[in-house]
Amino acid sequence: AAPSRGDTLAAGGAGAAAGGRSRPKLAPHDTHLKNFAYAAALDAALATGDPVIVVTVLGELVARSGLRIALSGRDAATLEPLGAFCVRYITHPRYAGLLVDVANVLFDVYAPVLGRSMPIDELFAKLHAQVKREVSLSKQLASLLGALDLLMGASSSSIGDGGGG
């Protein structure tokens, strides 16, 4: 006799789950986000070393209004990885908008302890220097762009006048 339907699978074996698929395992930062452990989620994201993951988690924390919670209550050792990340990527065009917001929250949260902890002071000094360099560069580029616009305007008006000779 031919085997009847289902005789080839043991009970509880590979096909017992609906659809035969198991759920993919969540990454540690996703698990922490799911459990509303915002500081742990941020630490797990920073531990990956992947800027895309870190920025994604930071964006999710902003969306959940949990950024201040994730940043608060850190000591110099747990603040350093985030500070180093901000210093490294705050000028990156893709991440700058979000990281400027993160830096503002960091300043708000840790302003009262500035001057009391040398490592935290050094971290904020590095961040300040990086932002200052970027602002200076942006001013120089804006000035250069203005000069180029002036030259292009003069060039197009002399062409429009009949040859500029």
Side-chain angles (χ1 to χ4, degrees):
S4 64
R5 187 172 158 177
D7 283 349
T8 58
L9 291 177
R21 295 182 188 151
S22 62
R23 287 188 182 179
K25 184 168 169 50
L26 290 175
H29 58 272
D30 287 329
T31 303
H32 292 304
L33 281 173
K34 186 177 176 185
N35 295 326
F36 302 100
Y38 295 148
L42 181 55
D43 291 339
L46 287 164
T48 67
D50 185 347
V52 174
I53 291 175
V54 176
V55 170
T56 302
V57 169
L58 286 168
E60 184 63 24
L61 290 171
V62 169
R64 293 179 179 212
S65 300
L67 183 62
R68 187 173 292 273
I69 296 166
L71 299 181
S72 297
R74 292 177 176 267
D75 59 6
T78 57
L79 194 57
E80 195 279 329
L82 178 62
F85 180 85
C86 286
V87 168
R88 182 170 182 187
Y89 291 103
I90 199 163
T91 59
H92 190 288
R94 185 176 286 167
Y95 310 139
L98 177 63
L99 292 180
V100 166
D101 292 341
V102 170
N104 281 330
V105 174
L106 276 173
F107 282 121
D108 288 346
V109 171
Y110 291 97
V113 297
L114 287 177
R116 295 186 198 160
S117 169
M118 191 60 152
I120 291 177
D121 291 353
E122 288 173 0
L123 182 72
F124 281 106
K126 287 179 189 175
L127 188 55
H128 177 261
Q130 184 73 350
V131 170
K132 192 173 180 178
R133 274 192 300 272
E134 185 68 13
V135 167
S136 175
L137 181 62
S138 294
K139 285 180 179 177
Q140 289 175 357
L141 289 174
S143 174
L144 181 62
L145 188 59
L148 281 174
D149 284 344
L150 187 63
L151 287 173
M152 295 301 285
S155 172
S156 65
S157 68
S158 67
I159 291 171
D161 288 341

